[in-house]
Amino acid sequence: MAKKFHNFINGKWVGAESGETFENRNPAHWEEVIGIFPKSDRKDVEKATEAAVQHREEWANLPVPERGKILGKVGDIMVQRKEEIAKLMTREMGKILKETRGDTQEGIDTAYYAFGEARRLFGVTSPCELPNKTAYTITRPVGTAGIITPWNFPMAIPCWKIFPALLMGNTIVFKSASDTPATTVKLVEILTEGGVPRGVVNLVHGPGSTVGEAILEQPEIGVISFTGSAAVGRRVAEVAGKNLKRVSLELGGKNPQIVMPDANIENAIEGLLWGAFGTTGQRCTATSRLLLHKDIYNEFLDIFVKRTKELKIGDGLVESTDVGPVINEPQLKKILNYVDVGRQEGAKLFFGGKKITGGKYDKGFFMEPTIFTEVESGMRIEQEEIFGPVLSVIKISSFEEGIQIANDVDYGLSSSIYTSNIEWAMKAIDKLEAGLVYVNAPTIGAECHLPFGGYKNTGNGHREGGKWPYEVFGEIKTVYIDYSEKLQKAQIDTNITK
Ligand code: NAP
């Protein structure tokens, strides 16, 4: 009998009001049910919001370093439970253990960053225009934050959002992806054990179309932090915008790796294998386009295909596996459909392209790492986010052409160039329209203290990581104190130096 999980509302683990449930299964062994979760709806979201509002003041009144201590303790518990979390995450969403340990470590690092930030959160003190007057800023919480997250980083991304939101003094209504509710439960258990009081973090499981939408519509939720696809991001912006909520959106990518003829080829191939096929290509920063210079084209592809063939595909719980399954059947179908689209557009299917079948592979959703060559700029497989292990190779004749094609997409999250020419490297840093630029490193591998996010349809200008999300979750107050004991008029043209 599969384990039953619950929502977490006002400090209690409870089922959905409707009593409905949904199953969560292992994408490498579909017969394995990870758990049964409440299929919640608007009523559950309303209860969660009510609790979050009720406990706002008590949480906001706690000194920031005290909130920071709690988050430090949360980090400590995550360290102790790292292996347990990683194994659960691999079972739940498929990526290999090395990566789920990394995902958890990112959460730990983010907790310790918040612990440190608790003794900083500096405001501004400023000179005033008028005598005997002083000014400075303080930051107060927005109130209650709605957090909606995807399945591909089920620990790191919720931590990127929830820890800054909590440190800033907000209470939370949280919905994670329906493919990864179990990892989410672990995080909420740890937050509670770390000392986050009752009602401060409220978790509601269930579909985006009901639970997600209800979060967007709650009048008492003042800020939404969303990570997911551009399609859903647009919807989030629309509903939240109508209600004048603050919204932070982190969306998709179509990330290029440019390889110039003077690059260290071995290094560029290693980077590409990791960037394109790590996490089965299911990263917002995955390398989905290789812009390969014509002078090294054949040599590079020969070695790259050999190395791709050596990748071990299978259950992520087996330590020697390089590439795990795709998250679920609809996503596998979507990727296979893109393979058909690529063929119809005239690209050459150079390697892979099929679902892997037979024996253990029939139990899950496994896909061959796939390489298309003869891809031209503008083809759908070159423009649209596939979110699977599919790489489009485009031949380029010059650095300028590489930059132009790299930028000619609707997204702008990550980018990479391999070269030993400082001039090309520096010009690429300047010209690539992407929030992340890597030189001689793959498009993936962000660090928690640095800004993460992108241009164009990748988001709406916000950044996660480091100090940046703290701005999303805070209201700045500018304080003026006049000790002149008379009315001094600012913004009046009185030239006091006369
Ligand atoms: P998704 O389908 O957009 O879902 C993201 C979250 O939104 C899930 O929790 C989903 O719930 C919820 N949702 C769905 N419809 C909703 C609605 N109408 N209102 C409110 N919430 C709704 O994305 P995904 O498949 O989970 O994740 C993959 C996408 O995330 C890719 O596009 C990837 O590039 C992007 N991503 C971006 C970043 C970044 O930082 N830029 C990082 C990681 C992933 P359900 O699961 O219940 O549908």
Side-chain angles (χ1 to χ4, degrees):
M1 184 67 179
K3 189 172 171 195
K4 246 187 139 174
F5 290 84
H6 297 96
N7 290 333
F8 191 63
I9 298 178
N10 207 8
K12 290 203 177 78
W13 293 99
V14 292
E17 289 253 311
S18 67
E20 288 201 42
T21 57
F22 69 97
E23 279 179 357
N24 178 30
R25 290 173 180 256
N26 180 341
H29 297 276
W30 199 241
E31 76 282 2
E32 185 196 347
V33 179
I34 309 283
I36 315 277
F37 291 82
K39 190 171 174 187
S40 317
D41 59 27
R42 183 169 296 274
K43 278 201 198 108
D44 304 289
V45 173
E46 282 167 4
K47 288 215 148 168
T49 309
E50 218 174 276
V53 171
Q54 193 191 332
H55 293 276
R56 258 184 205 167
E57 205 174 323
E58 123 203 17
W59 183 242
N61 284 346
L62 210 60
V64 184
E66 290 303 310
R67 294 199 292 260
K69 273 188 209 159
I70 292 175
L71 293 171
K73 181 138 185 249
V74 164
D76 294 343
I77 302 169
M78 287 174 80
V79 170
Q80 288 155 18
R81 303 236 185 115
K82 183 170 166 181
E83 198 58 19
E84 169 199 336
I85 298 167
K87 285 195 171 133
L88 174 65
M89 198 191 302
T90 294
R91 281 173 56 221
E92 181 168 63
M93 53 73 70
K95 68 184 174 187
I96 62 172
L97 271 177
K98 277 190 203 93
E99 294 184 44
T100 52
R101 288 181 190 125
D103 189 323
T104 310
Q105 187 58 45
E106 183 77 8
I108 294 166
D109 295 340
T110 305
Y112 291 144
Y113 186 95
F115 173 73
E117 189 63 29
R119 294 197 178 262
R120 193 164 39 205
L121 280 189
F122 298 137
V124 168
T125 52
S126 163
C128 273
E129 290 174 5
L130 297 166
N132 296 321
K133 193 174 173 189
T134 193
Y136 64 95
T137 64
I138 57 168
T139 310
R140 301 298 296 146
V142 174
T144 297
I147 306 285
I148 304 176
T149 55
W151 53 265
N152 67 333
F153 277 83
M155 186 56 81
I157 292 177
C159 293
W160 278 2
K161 298 175 185 302
I162 289 174
F163 297 168
L166 286 178
L167 191 79
M168 294 301 285
N170 299 279
T171 57
I172 304 241
V173 178
F174 172 31
K175 180 207 127 42
S176 75
S178 297
D179 283 306
T180 49
T183 307
T184 310
V185 166
K186 251 320 132 217
L187 174 60
V188 172
E189 280 171 5
I190 292 171
L191 283 163
T192 308
E193 199 184 320
V196 174
R198 183 164 81 99
V200 172
V201 172
N202 300 277
L203 169 67
V204 188
H205 301 286
S209 55
T210 49
V211 173
E213 292 270 336
I215 290 176
L216 304 179
E217 285 168 2
Q218 293 304 301
E220 287 287 357
I221 293 181
V223 51
I224 302 286
S225 181
F226 172 86
T227 298
S229 60
V232 177
R234 263 181 222 284
R235 172 74 187 153
V236 170
E238 192 184 312
V239 180
K242 212 163 55 189
N243 297 307
L244 293 182
K245 288 187 197 310
R246 191 182 300 191
V247 192
S248 165
L249 301 172
E250 299 298 336
L251 311 174
K254 192 70 188 174
N255 313 294
Q257 175 176 317
I258 300 173
V259 185
M260 297 304 290
D262 62 350
N264 175 332
I265 303 269
E266 180 55 28
N267 191 25
I269 286 171
E270 280 294 309
L272 186 62
L273 278 171
W274 181 222
F277 303 133
T279 328
T280 324
Q282 303 172 114
R283 281 189 187 227
C284 50
T285 52
T287 313
S288 49
R289 297 182 297 150
L290 169 66
L291 310 186
L292 184 57
H293 197 277
K294 63 179 174 37
D295 292 355
I296 47 165
Y297 192 86
N298 292 332
E299 175 200 356
F300 188 101
L301 279 184
D302 278 354
I303 310 172
F304 182 62
V305 167
K306 263 188 221 128
R307 301 293 291 280
T308 302
K309 281 182 190 160
E310 287 163 13
L311 291 173
K312 292 193 186 75
I313 297 149
D315 184 349
L317 283 178
V318 176
E319 291 279 359
S320 57
T321 302
D322 297 306
V323 179
V326 166
I327 184 69
N328 55 35
E329 196 169 17
Q331 182 58 20
L332 180 63
K333 283 191 176 149
K334 182 181 157 198
I335 300 167
L336 291 169
N337 184 51
Y338 268 110
V339 173
D340 289 341
V341 167
R343 279 208 194 96
Q344 284 155 19
E345 285 180 311
K348 181 174 167 191
L349 183 59
F350 197 66
F351 184 78
K354 293 191 295 297
K355 176 181 191 301
I356 308 176
T357 54
K360 64 180 181 183
Y361 292 114
D362 287 335
K363 293 179 185 235
F365 309 114
F366 295 94
M367 165 93 195
E368 291 173 339
T370 299
I371 305 167
F372 272 107
T373 55
E374 297 174 30
V375 177
E376 281 170 26
S377 174
M379 286 180 175
R380 279 184 63 198
I381 56 165
E382 194 267 339
Q383 291 282 314
E384 297 172 18
E385 187 184 47
I386 297 172
F387 221 57
V390 180
L391 178 72
S392 292
V393 184
I394 302 137
K395 195 188 275 184
I396 55 169
S397 304
S398 66
F399 169 79
E400 288 72 21
E401 189 188 11
I403 298 290
Q404 187 263 320
I405 295 173
N407 288 341
D408 196 15
V409 290
D410 289 336
Y411 295 104
L413 180 53
S414 188
S415 60
S416 148
I417 182 165
Y418 280 78
T419 180
S420 52
N421 178 331
I422 185 77
E423 195 183 317
W424 278 336
M426 296 307 288
K427 281 189 177 160
I429 292 167
D430 186 36
K431 298 288 176 209
L432 284 167
E433 292 167 5
L436 306 163
V437 182
Y438 292 90
V439 177
N440 296 330
T443 56
I444 65 180
E447 298 184 23
C448 89
H449 56 293
L450 288 160
F452 183 93
Y455 285 43
K456 300 188 258 186
N457 290 357
T458 290
N460 61 345
H462 291 286
R463 294 290 185 269
E464 310 227 72
K467 68 184 171 88
W468 288 269
Y470 291 84
E471 290 166 9
V472 170
F473 295 110
E475 289 287 5
I476 297 175
K477 276 190 195 177
T478 308
V479 182
Y480 295 97
I481 303 173
D482 190 324
Y483 49 96
S484 68
E485 295 196 59
K486 60 180 187 229
L487 173 64
Q488 301 198 85
K489 292 179 179 163
Q491 291 182 338
I492 295 289
D493 191 14
T494 50
N495 191 343
I496 60 168
T497 54
K498 265 191 194 161

